[in-house]
Amino acid sequence: MICKHRESNYLIVHTYLFINNEFVPGNGPLIETINPVNEEVICSVHSADESDVNKAVDAANASFTNVWRKVAPAERGKLILRLAELIERDAEEMATLSVLDNGKTYALATTADIGLTTNALRYFAGWADKIHGKTIDTSFDEMCYTRHEPLGVVGCVLPWNYPLVPAAFKLGPSLAAGNCVVIKSSEITPLPLTKLASLVKEAGFPPGVINIITGYGHTTGSYLTHHPRVNKIAFTGSSLTGRRIIKASAEGSLKSVQLELGGKSAQIVCADADLKSAAIHAWNGIFPNQGQTCSAGSRILVHESVFDEFLKLFIERTKQVVLGDPFDPKTSQGPQVSKLQFDKVLNYIKLGQEEGAKVACGGKQWGNKGYFIEPTIFTHCKSSMKIMQEEIFGPVVAMSTFKDIKEAIEIANDTVYGLGGGVFTKDMNTAIHVSNELRAGTVWVNCYNTFHVSTPFGGFGESGFGKDLGEDALKEYSRIKTVKFKVEI
């Protein structure tokens, strides 16, 4: 299908399901994907019903049984590398589709989406021939060794905020470990994944190794998570959906589950912090991608002695934001992804004011077309307020003060989530103490939301369990078999 993305520019996009290395029509309802900049329909994509999910799982299962698990690990690595090369080759088109579907700025799509996607695939390609067990000396007349074996078919359910990045975070270790995959993209942002599907066959992957479908969570997602021949579900998204997936994994056949869920992360600014630097990094911790980042530092806790100065610097940085066309290089903030998300964020802004928090900046819709919301700063926030407890997933930050580091840690940990956290200080002892005490899967010191594919990422509590990225991610996609021999001496 041909879709328009600017005044005179057009793209050819795939709208079918990708099963067994072929684009095929789906039997589910057609789903309109909306451009959040102008609220217009980009195109309609095919969705998968239960029969389509069965076909995708059958293709993955057949490929795993007969082909993929028998491919030499080094060859698997070469194919993953080739996929990364093709994504890089078509980076402009893939970034454009991400901007159209999601509303993020083109600059962010090229750096974060494409950069992290290709880096993750290359990283795990290097691990493909380095996954191995060990020999264990148990007794003189017995030999024992372990094997790290693939799980089989992995179902990956992806979010809409970074359509490509979680796909790579899950595809990389899954393929390297020898699994076959069925990806369900978000029905809100399916287009970047359909482009990815077109590159799978070109890269040379055997049929059935990677299958990409889309559809609603309560239908397509449910069929996939309940499927008896899916051995693992890897999910990135909301805590509510994560709970449903855990339940689904037990209702059919028991399967492994990995969840990377929401967050309400706190950034702590100490009295001795470099405030100019802290304001810039803390801003980067919440507002990029319109605040639609799971690890966003949406609570900022500032020592009472430096709060006024920090707030002034933070507001100055926020007022530099340019809202508008995400393809315009001058734009630094696009629209929220959908009308539903737009309304949700505005409702939280209204609720924050009703709870007694003060709007120091922003707080309104921007423009009269598209799902744009001004970057919003709340002050005078109490830990009990909903804007301090619930994930808003928008350009909204809640600020409060603390008297000492003990109180800061208590406020930071006063949440059901545990995905990320940050501390700004010049004192190494304070940095280590806070890092040790924060109940979060990742803690940043004097920076925030900096990622590297070699470092594990995942949360605690309502933020889920299991790790993306790093060597630890490989453990999520393999199982250990112990083999024992009795030796006749």
Side-chain angles (χ1 to χ4, degrees):
M1 177 177 287
I2 298 175
C3 71
K4 184 177 179 180
H5 72 91
R6 301 204 74 179
E7 286 303 317
S8 59
N9 295 334
Y10 294 83
L11 283 174
I12 297 176
V13 298
H14 294 282
T15 59
Y16 282 6
L17 312 178
F18 185 75
I19 298 174
N20 215 28
N21 268 14
E22 299 294 339
F23 282 101
V24 296
N27 293 301
L30 289 176
I31 298 175
E32 292 182 340
T33 179
I34 307 297
N35 185 337
V37 172
N38 55 26
E39 305 176 47
E40 296 176 359
V41 176
I42 302 169
C43 63
S44 295
V45 298
H46 287 241
S47 68
D49 71 359
E50 188 170 12
S51 68
D52 297 314
V53 173
N54 288 338
K55 290 173 186 175
V57 174
D58 287 346
N61 188 57
S63 184
F64 174 75
T65 302
N66 301 317
V67 181
W68 189 240
R69 68 187 181 95
K70 300 175 184 178
V71 173
E75 292 303 311
R76 294 200 297 261
K78 289 179 182 178
L79 289 170
I80 301 169
L81 282 174
R82 178 60 177 154
L83 182 60
E85 291 170 359
L86 294 174
I87 293 171
E88 203 163 61
R89 182 197 69 187
D90 294 351
E92 182 179 349
E93 183 179 348
M94 300 195 80
T96 297
L97 290 171
S98 291
V99 175
L100 276 176
D101 249 359
N102 176 274
K104 66 181 63 189
T105 64
Y106 185 77
L108 183 66
T110 52
T111 54
D113 290 46
I114 303 301
L116 276 174
T117 296
T118 54
N119 288 346
L121 290 175
R122 287 179 172 134
Y123 174 81
F124 287 111
W127 271 108
D129 60 355
K130 300 171 186 67
I131 302 169
H132 51 75
K134 61 177 70 175
T135 58
I136 303 170
D137 189 3
T138 57
S139 67
F140 180 73
D141 60 349
E142 186 177 85
M143 183 180 77
C144 177
Y145 66 87
T146 60
R147 286 171 48 85
H148 288 234
E149 297 183 343
L151 302 174
V153 177
V154 175
C156 301
V157 182
L158 305 182
W160 47 255
N161 59 331
Y162 289 92
L164 289 170
V165 175
F169 286 6
K170 292 162 176 45
L171 268 180
S174 184
L175 296 174
N179 300 284
C180 291
V181 179
V182 178
I183 291 176
K184 191 205 86 69
S185 64
S186 168
E187 73 280 4
I188 299 174
T189 54
L191 298 184
L193 272 298
T194 61
K195 172 60 183 177
L196 177 66
S198 72
L199 301 181
V200 168
K201 189 173 183 178
E202 184 180 351
F205 282 93
V209 174
I210 302 174
N211 306 273
I212 300 178
I213 60 178
T214 197
Y216 298 110
H218 66 279
T219 52
T220 309
S222 181
Y223 299 142
L224 184 62
T225 55
H226 280 87
H227 202 288
R229 289 190 300 280
V230 172
N231 304 99
K232 173 189 171 74
I233 293 292
F235 170 72
T236 297
S238 72
S239 298
L240 177 62
T241 303
R243 289 179 178 275
R244 291 172 180 160
I245 287 174
I246 292 175
K247 183 179 179 181
S249 71
E251 289 178 343
S253 59
L254 287 175
K255 51 178 64 71
S256 173
V257 175
Q258 178 186 352
L259 304 175
E260 197 271 274
L261 308 176
K264 194 66 182 176
S265 304
Q267 304 185 73
I268 298 172
V269 181
C270 298
D272 68 334
D274 179 335
L275 295 184
K276 288 185 178 179
S277 176
I280 292 170
H281 286 290
W283 187 94
N284 286 330
I286 171 61
F287 286 126
N289 204 35
Q290 295 76 257
Q292 298 168 151
T293 303
C294 55
S295 57
S298 54
R299 294 180 295 152
I300 299 180
L301 317 179
V302 187
H303 191 275
E304 59 185 12
S305 66
V306 296
F307 178 79
D308 290 342
E309 184 179 356
F310 176 83
L311 178 61
K312 178 183 176 182
L313 292 168
F314 196 86
I315 290 175
E316 286 176 357
R317 174 64 186 88
T318 304
K319 287 186 175 180
Q320 295 173 17
V321 171
V322 177
L323 289 94
D325 177 6
F327 286 104
D328 187 335
K330 297 178 182 178
T331 298
S332 52
Q333 182 179 318
Q336 306 312 120
V337 72
S338 66
K339 180 67 163 58
L340 180 66
Q341 193 64 21
F342 171 80
D343 289 340
K344 175 186 173 185
V345 174
L346 288 179
N347 284 335
Y348 269 111
I349 292 173
K350 179 182 177 182
L351 179 61
Q353 293 170 300
E354 291 172 350
E355 288 182 313
K358 306 298 182 184
V359 175
C361 183
K364 304 184 300 296
Q365 176 182 357
W366 181 85
N368 54 20
K369 191 173 187 180
Y371 308 131
F372 294 91
I373 297 176
E374 296 175 344
T376 300
I377 303 168
F378 275 111
T379 62
H380 298 80
C381 299
K382 298 178 181 178
S383 192
S384 60
M385 292 179 176
K386 287 187 177 181
I387 60 169
M388 287 281 280
Q389 290 294 323
E390 298 178 8
E391 185 179 41
I392 299 173
F393 224 59
V396 180
V397 65
M399 291 189 182
S400 66
T401 61
F402 62 88
K403 290 182 171 58
D404 54 43
I405 204 66
K406 180 176 182 292
E407 183 184 21
I409 293 169
E410 288 175 352
I411 297 172
N413 285 337
D414 183 21
T415 175
V416 296
Y417 296 104
L419 191 54
V423 56
F424 297 90
T425 179
K426 295 176 183 176
D427 189 294
M428 184 62 70
N429 289 328
T430 300
I432 293 173
H433 173 61
V434 173
S435 299
N436 290 345
E437 292 299 314
L438 288 181
R439 294 195 294 270
T442 299
V443 177
W444 287 274
V445 179
N446 294 327
C447 59
Y448 201 87
N449 262 353
T450 57
F451 285 88
H452 193 278
V453 294
S454 64
T455 57
F457 178 74
F460 306 153
E462 293 286 323
S463 293
F465 45 80
K467 296 296 180 183
D468 286 330
L469 300 181
E471 182 181 358
D472 291 281
L474 295 164
K475 301 172 186 177
E476 305 287 344
Y477 295 92
S478 61
R479 57 191 176 197
I480 299 175
K481 176 185 286 183
T482 302
V483 181
K484 298 184 178 183
F485 285 83
K486 182 70 175 178
V487 181
E488 299 293 339
I489 302 299

